[in-house]
Amino acid sequence: MILKEAIEQLKNGLAAVAEPQEAQAMIRIICEDIFNYDQVDVALRQDSELPEFAQQRITDIISRLQRHEPLQYIVGSARFHGHRFKVTPAVLIPRPETEQLVDLIVDENSASDLRVLDIGTGSGCIAISLARALKFAQVDALDVSRDALAVARENAAALKVRVNFFESDILSPQPAARYDIIVSNPPYVCWNERESMECNVKDYEPGQALFVPDNDPLLFYKAIAPYAAQSLEKGGRLYLEINQRFGQEVKKLLEENGLDEIRIIEDSYGNTRFAAAVMR
Ligand code: GLN
């Protein structure tokens, strides 16, 4: 089989699971994964004969995608904030919304030597991107999942940044600390929203990182807000990714915990997706 035929096979195989434009983006990622080919290589090598292993890998990828397995888990990586992060089913696949959260923090915090904490770091994408983008920041990151932390540590090493990762559950008491910035993208999807989610998310991504009980949607924010109030320096800032349904509730919770200048901010899809606040 030649490359041109393999791409045709991928297009046909993906037609049932992805829109043409998305399928094209996926094929680009697959060619990079299997052959290490960029777009130019793909264009130049249309007639090159493929080795046996590549043909098998393509068949395998197509059948996994048809079962709605996320491509990022199949190839083992995802792009976030200009870098490639390792991902496994132990961590959420980084979302474009979360890149916006990182951009917001970078835009609003130009000082150097800031002390930063990322709560529920997962792949480490927020902590590592901030460690790269802020000037001489000292970044701590915690997660309850040892498997997630192993992935996060590999990502920090691969991207050559120092982040101090530690295993901890934000729902249990935390030692007081001093931070200039606390950020979190905690689980915030209610179980009753699960049915309306895509199969690739609900069947493959870690439920522990996504879901909260229907009767306690702010579970994590209720732990994060008082911890932030206690651990942020005066003038320190809290940044959260939130469930679009609970912007006003999160705002109220932050007020009750003594945070100031609270903003509820929309993502580029127009959903209320972030909360930001200042400690006075
Ligand atoms: N935004 C994610 C999703 O739509 C949820 C992330 C989270 O729960 N923190 O799947």
Side-chain angles (χ1 to χ4, degrees):
M1 186 192 286
I2 58 173
L3 181 59
K4 196 172 10 185
E5 291 162 343
I7 289 175
E8 213 41 48
Q9 188 186 342
L10 279 164
K11 269 190 199 148
N12 295 332
L14 297 192
V17 289
E19 299 295 322
Q21 212 178 343
E22 194 194 354
Q24 211 166 14
M26 288 169 130
I27 291 169
R28 211 177 302 144
I29 293 170
I30 294 165
C31 287
E32 206 182 298
D33 176 62
I34 304 180
F35 313 112
N36 211 7
Y37 281 1
D38 65 17
Q39 282 296 82
V40 177
D41 296 321
V42 170
L44 292 176
R45 298 175 198 219
Q46 290 280 308
D47 296 319
S48 59
E49 190 64 35
L50 302 187
E52 182 64 25
F53 88 88
Q55 296 181 32
Q56 272 166 15
R57 177 88 174 133
I58 287 170
T59 314
D60 174 54
I61 291 178
I62 291 174
S63 69
R64 290 169 73 177
L65 287 172
Q66 286 176 341
R67 290 194 297 267
H68 302 284
E69 187 172 344
L71 179 59
Q72 293 91 333
Y73 289 152
I74 299 173
V75 301
S77 69
R79 304 237 16 132
F80 182 85
H81 216 252
H83 297 286
R84 188 202 296 263
F85 286 79
K86 172 177 171 163
V87 292
T88 73
V91 301
L92 277 192
I93 296 164
R95 306 283 201 270
E97 300 90 290
T98 309
E99 286 183 325
Q100 263 179 273
L101 181 65
V102 170
D103 282 336
L104 178 70
I105 298 172
V106 173
D107 285 348
E108 295 184 352
N109 296 275
S110 55
S112 72
D113 298 282
L114 294 173
R115 285 156 303 171
V116 181
L117 173 67
D118 175 24
I119 298 171
T121 197
S123 63
C125 63
I126 296 176
I128 291 166
S129 302
L130 290 176
R132 292 191 63 99
L134 297 174
K135 278 180 243 148
F136 303 106
Q138 297 169 42
V139 183
D140 290 347
L142 64 85
D143 205 286
V144 71
S145 158
R146 191 169 293 184
D147 292 342
L149 286 169
V151 174
R153 287 197 175 97
E154 271 191 54
N155 280 325
L159 295 169
K160 299 188 171 46
V161 293
R162 188 191 296 267
V163 173
N164 175 32
F165 291 105
F166 52 99
E167 191 180 327
S168 182
D169 180 358
I170 189 63
L171 299 181
S172 58
Q174 297 290 317
R178 304 307 320 157
Y179 289 107
D180 302 295
I181 297 173
I182 294 180
V183 55
S184 184
N185 173 20
Y188 60 67
V189 181
C190 291
W191 280 103
N192 64 24
E193 293 173 283
R194 187 176 185 280
E195 275 323 297
S196 58
M197 294 173 90
E198 305 279 355
C199 294
N200 56 354
V201 178
K202 66 182 177 197
D203 295 344
Y204 289 95
E205 296 201 69
Q208 188 185 27
L210 284 170
F211 296 114
V212 283
D214 297 336
N215 62 4
D216 200 4
L218 302 190
L219 174 67
F220 286 92
Y221 305 96
K222 285 185 198 162
I224 293 166
Y227 181 70
Q230 163 203 327
S231 296
L232 281 173
E233 296 285 1
K234 271 194 191 322
R237 290 164 185 267
L238 174 64
Y239 294 93
L240 302 167
E241 188 171 315
I242 62 170
N243 186 322
Q244 65 198 78
R245 290 165 59 210
F246 299 114
Q248 286 316 306
E249 286 84 348
V250 171
K251 182 165 192 255
K252 184 158 162 269
L253 177 69
L254 297 179
E255 269 161 16
E256 285 165 2
N257 279 278
L259 287 133
D260 208 5
E261 295 180 41
I262 300 160
R263 288 171 292 159
I264 301 296
I265 301 163
E266 288 186 358
D267 63 21
S268 54
Y269 308 105
N271 297 317
T272 47
R273 183 60 65 212
F274 315 108
V278 178
M279 194 62 221
R280 287 287 168 221

